[in-house]
Amino acid sequence: MLGSGVLYRGSRIVIASHNEGKVRELGELFEPYGITCVSAGSLGLPEPEETGDTFEANALLKAHASAKGSGMLALADDSGLEVEALSGDPGIHSARWGGPAKDFDLAMRKVHEALEATGGAFSRANFTCALALAAPNGDDIVFSGRVFGHIQWPPRGTRGFGYDPIFVPEDHQETFGEMDPALKNELSHRMRAFEQLMAATYAEDADPA
Ligand code: IMP
C-alpha cells in the first residue's frame, strides 16, 4: 500500500483520464501542493475498459493501467451521479448515459425522464468520487468521497461539466453548473476524496530518493 511521503512538493503524476473537466479540476486541487499533473490523454495512454462494479474498483483499474503505461505514479478518478429514486442510477455508468458522443444534455434528460417515470421529477442524489493512486510496481491506495444534494430540472448553469447543471448540493441554491468553480471544489465529492488521499500520502518535504 502507498503511504506517507509518496507525494511531495515537486512530484509529477499522471492523471489517468481523457476527461478534460476532471483533469482540470484535479490539476487545480494538486497545484497548491506543488504537484504537477500530466494527463493520460496527452501522453497517448489508452483508456482501459471499466469492468469493475464499484467506483473504487474502476479507479484502481485506470490508475494501474496509466502507472504501468507511463512508469510514473498515476492518479485515477472514477465518479458519477447516484439518484436515490433511481436506485442509484446512473452510478458507475454515469459516463455511458451520455452515449458514444458523451452528450450530457442527453444524459441529463435521461435522468429527468427516468425520474418522471417513477412519478416525480425531484429526488435526493449524490455525487461519489473514488480516487486511486498507483505506482508502476503495483502498489496502490484508494479513497472515496460523497456530496449529497438533489436533482434540479430544468438544468441551470454552464460551468463545470457532466451532470453539474442538474445537481444542487445540500444547503445551497445554485447548481454545480452555476456555482463559482472554487466553491464547487470546496464542497465536492472529488475534494472529499482528495483530502483523505493527501492526508495519507503527502509529506511536503519528503525525500524523493
Ligand atoms: P468516469 O470517467 O467513468 O468516472 O465518468 C464519470 C462521469 O460522471 C462523468 O463523465 C460525468 O458525467 C459524471 N461526473 C463525475 N463527476 C462529476 C462532477 O463533478 N460533475 C458532474 N458530473 C460528474
Side-chain angles (χ1 to χ4, degrees), residues 19 22 25 50 62 77-81 92 94-95 104 127-128 161-164 176 184 189-190:
N19 175 332
K22 275 189 192 174
E25 285 192 6
E50 295 182 21
K62 291 188 275 189
D77 165 314
D78 198 67
S79 47
L81 177 70
I92 60 166
S94 291
F104 285 99
F127 276 120
T128 296
F161 67 98
Y163 298 89
D164 279 344
F176 267 174
K184 178 186 170 188
H189 48 315
R190 197 158 286 109

Side-chain angles (χ1 to χ4, degrees), residues 8-81:
Y8 51 88
R9 187 162 288 278
S11 290
R12 278 186 83 232
I13 63 172
V14 180
I15 304 292
S17 176
H18 291 232
N19 175 332
E20 285 313 313
K22 275 189 192 174
V23 171
R24 184 184 61 243
E25 285 192 6
L26 287 165
E28 283 168 11
L29 296 183
F30 279 109
E31 207 255 350
Y33 294 88
I35 296 173
T36 311
C37 299
V38 294
S39 77
S42 70
L43 297 179
L45 298 170
E47 280 188 291
E49 226 191 301
E50 295 182 21
T51 52
D53 55 11
T54 61
F55 292 108
E56 289 81 2
N58 283 328
L60 283 165
L61 208 136
K62 291 188 275 189
H64 282 293
S66 281
K68 285 209 184 80
S70 65
M72 293 166 64
L73 274 177
L75 181 99
D77 165 314
D78 198 67
S79 47
L81 177 70

Side-chain angles (χ1 to χ4, degrees), residues 5 7 13 15 32 38 40 42 45 54 59 68 91 105 109-110 123-124 134 137 141 156 160 166 188 206:
L7 293 179
I13 63 172
I15 304 292
V38 294
S42 70
L45 298 170
T54 61
K68 285 209 184 80
D105 289 335
R109 217 165 43 243
K110 279 192 192 167
S123 176
R124 278 175 52 78
N137 71 1
I141 193 165
R156 291 196 321 236
I166 59 165
S188 81

Side-chain angles (χ1 to χ4, degrees), residues 55-56 128-131 142-146 189 192-194 196:
F55 292 108
E56 289 81 2
T128 296
C129 172
L131 286 181
V142 62
F143 293 99
S144 34
R146 278 194 166 76
H189 48 315
R192 289 177 184 173
F194 176 78
Q196 298 174 69

